[in-house]
Amino acid sequence: MPLFSQVKGHGVVGLDTAETLATVTGLIVAPSPARITALRVKTKGPGTLVTWNHVHACGPDAVTIRSAEDVQTEDDTSIPADKLHDPLGRRVLTEAGEDLGPADDIEFDASTGHVQRLVLAGQDVDGERLLGTGGYAVVVASP
């Protein structure tokens, strides 16, 4: 299972042209079940997102999508796609208010996008405990 830090900075390649269309810069995570719903990307043209259902494969060297049309803007998708839904670097709090520290990384299933675990300094939190992400914190169920 890859860590997001291993994917960040990778190119997003269109299978129809074999050209690099974008670079992965961040991710959008949704709870219940915890999963990556989109990748934030930087392009030379319009578009800032690739929704997970458009990801063909997420490999060790690149993320592949079918074509440039799979790169979308936040207005093109119905998923919550703002930067508030990117948990990396945000503090992780239990529902009881215990501060576990910042989310340093995320381990995920490369084929489904399901979050396996949140990686924090000194401990890991099972992805199934993720309750939500916001501008201030990531909230997880108490153990």
Side-chain angles (χ1 to χ4, degrees), residues 115-132:
V115 173
Q116 301 299 309
R117 65 185 173 106
L118 300 171
V119 179
L120 289 67
Q123 68 177 312
D124 294 341
V125 176
D126 189 301
E128 294 300 316
R129 290 178 51 198
L130 179 68
L131 298 175

Side-chain angles (χ1 to χ4, degrees), residues 95-108:
E95 59 192 334
E98 179 185 359
D99 190 343
L100 302 178
D104 294 329
D105 214 336
I106 290 180
E107 181 182 49
F108 66 99

Side-chain angles (χ1 to χ4, degrees), residues 63-127:
V63 173
T64 57
I65 60 177
R66 297 207 188 282
S67 69
E69 287 79 40
D70 292 339
V71 179
Q72 302 172 310
T73 66
E74 291 178 25
D75 297 335
D76 295 335
T77 178
S78 62
I79 63 167
D82 57 41
K83 292 181 181 180
L84 297 179
H85 293 87
D86 185 345
L88 295 179
R90 299 212 193 288
R91 65 182 358 170
V92 178
L93 302 174
T94 67
E95 59 192 334
E98 179 185 359
D99 190 343
L100 302 178
D104 294 329
D105 214 336
I106 290 180
E107 181 182 49
F108 66 99
D109 184 310
S111 61
T112 66
H114 281 92
V115 173
Q116 301 299 309
R117 65 185 173 106
L118 300 171
V119 179
L120 289 67
Q123 68 177 312
D124 294 341
V125 176
D126 189 301

